[in-house]
Amino acid sequence: MNIERNDELQWRAAKHAALSDPARLRIVDLLTVGELAPSEISDSLTMRSNLVTHHLNVLESVGMLTRHRSEADKRRSYVRLTENALEGLVPGAVGSARRVLFVCTANSARSQLAVALWNRVSSIPAASAGTHPAEQIASGAIATAARHALTLPGLRPQALADVLAAGDFVVTVCDNAHEELGLRDGAHWSIPDPVRIGTDAAFDAALDDLQNRIDDLAPRLVAS
């Protein structure tokens, strides 16, 4: 057995060992949908915070998750799965939805682009909204859509209260919106705000992040 093959087996064995604990397996199930703060994991699993910290440390030690600070509340952190965390492992279905609703603060960039990307890969309807909608779609989002041959929905930014309906699978795509709304049925994606930076590179990075997450979620969500 060559060294590379042995290293791969050791890596896989370490991940399986980490997932042999039911609590850590459940944490990974939750994180396949989107980021969560440790306190949100504690609430979801009715688990003491020190025990959550222990399980997260074990998962981090085998390279399955990473942490970052919230753009909104700098004291708050989120954990997310690394890109190869589930390599060789198949996550289960998320559930069903009448519609996918992407939500950010201004509904001027990330949530608008998310709808355009979602419509390319899923027949489940999609819409977007903002907790504090802007007057218009950001020019950077319009330019990004044009560069990538995406069709934006064409709607002005809309308020969440005017769009949200029963049966929606809500995906918050910014930390501010998620922290304002609190834990909901759905998912949270911690996508850095490209409008704040304003460069083509920032918008393209946000688009790539959204694309990867949508490609993962779409096959796991069925129409209700």
Side-chain angles (χ1 to χ4, degrees):
M1 182 180 295
N2 62 42
I3 294 175
E4 290 79 12
R5 178 60 175 165
N6 186 58
D7 287 345
E8 180 185 358
L9 286 173
Q10 293 294 331
W11 175 65
R12 290 174 57 201
K15 289 204 297 185
H16 281 283
L19 294 177
S20 65
D21 185 288
R24 289 196 285 274
L25 187 59
R26 182 61 183 134
I27 288 172
V28 169
D29 285 343
L30 293 174
L31 293 176
T32 61
V33 180
E35 282 93 334
L36 287 170
S39 61
E40 292 172 336
I41 295 173
S42 179
D43 291 342
S44 294
L45 301 182
T46 318
M47 184 184 295
R48 298 193 312 274
S49 60
N50 62 331
L51 194 53
V52 170
T53 297
H54 165 71
H55 289 313
L56 293 179
N57 287 341
V58 171
L59 293 170
E60 188 174 28
S61 72
V62 296
M64 294 191 70
L65 62 81
T66 185
R67 309 170 193 246
H68 65 274
R69 289 290 178 186
S70 166
E71 284 189 340
D73 181 354
K74 300 299 189 289
R75 298 166 299 177
R76 186 183 182 100
S77 65
Y78 290 102
V79 293
R80 68 178 290 183
L81 295 181
T82 56
E83 289 185 1
N84 62 353
L86 300 178
E87 195 169 303
L89 306 171
V90 181
V94 172
S96 61
R98 182 189 67 85
R99 182 178 68 171
V100 177
L101 179 60
F102 294 100
V103 179
C104 63
T105 303
N107 189 213
S108 65
R110 289 164 286 185
S111 53
Q112 297 275 358
L113 292 169
V115 171
L117 290 169
W118 181 268
N119 288 338
R120 278 184 166 182
V121 299
S122 177
S123 60
I124 298 175
S128 68
T131 53
H132 303 281
E135 290 296 321
Q136 58 189 11
I137 298 175
S139 59
I142 295 172
T144 301
R147 284 198 306 276
H148 296 273
L150 284 170
T151 302
L152 290 177
L155 297 173
R156 291 174 62 88
Q158 301 177 88
L160 176 62
D162 296 334
V163 180
L164 182 63
D168 282 343
F169 186 91
V170 178
V171 181
T172 51
V173 294
C174 82
D175 294 341
N176 281 293
H178 175 67
E179 291 167 25
E180 181 175 348
L181 296 174
L183 191 62
R184 285 175 170 267
D185 292 334
H188 171 52
W189 297 347
S190 188
I191 311 291
D193 184 7
V195 176
R196 180 174 54 84
I197 300 172
T199 64
D200 288 352
F203 276 93
D204 286 345
L207 191 74
D208 287 344
D209 200 351
L210 287 166
Q211 182 71 73
N212 290 335
R213 294 167 183 269
I214 285 171
D215 286 345
D216 178 67
L217 176 62
R220 302 170 57 210
L221 199 61
V222 298
S224 59

